[in-house]
Amino acid sequence: QRVNVTVRSGLPMVLSGSAEPCAQLVVSSIGVVGTAEQNQRHSARFFDVLTAQLGLGTERIVIRFYPLEPWQIGKNRTVMTFL
């Protein structure tokens, strides 16, 4: 219920100066991606899945983590603060 995934394939992308196949994963969450230690654990798991599923080397993947506050996410005509 708290995870949303959007996949956009076929986009032109350049990573580290190369247009070879690559991927960018953007992760935002309330209270789950707030520290370097948390993100290091998440990063390892995401890289395992992405390299296996996409056949890319780790150097062709970048992950961006965005911690969110409950008031920044709207749902059911309110914000998560009140749910």
Side-chain angles (χ1 to χ4, degrees):
Q1 290 182 347
R2 305 245 175 178
V3 176
N4 299 302
V5 177
T6 301
V7 176
R8 296 184 200 164
S9 62
L11 295 175
M13 292 178 61
V14 174
L15 180 62
S16 300
S18 169
E20 292 297 314
C22 60
Q24 175 178 255
L25 175 64
V26 177
V27 180
S28 57
S29 181
I30 298 169
V32 178
V33 297
T35 68
E37 291 77 14
Q38 288 174 316
N39 293 349
Q40 184 177 37
R41 289 189 301 272
H42 298 315
S43 183
R45 292 184 190 119
F46 283 131
F47 270 95
D48 289 345
V49 171
L50 292 171
T51 55
Q53 294 296 315
L54 301 177
L56 297 173
T58 58
E59 73 283 353
R60 300 303 301 155
I61 299 170
V62 65
I63 302 173
R64 297 179 356 193
F65 294 98
Y66 290 98
L68 298 173
E69 296 296 327
W71 55 265
Q72 293 176 301
I73 302 295
K75 187 173 181 181
N76 295 334
R77 302 180 69 206
T78 186
V79 293
M80 295 300 290
T81 301
F82 302 110
L83 295 177

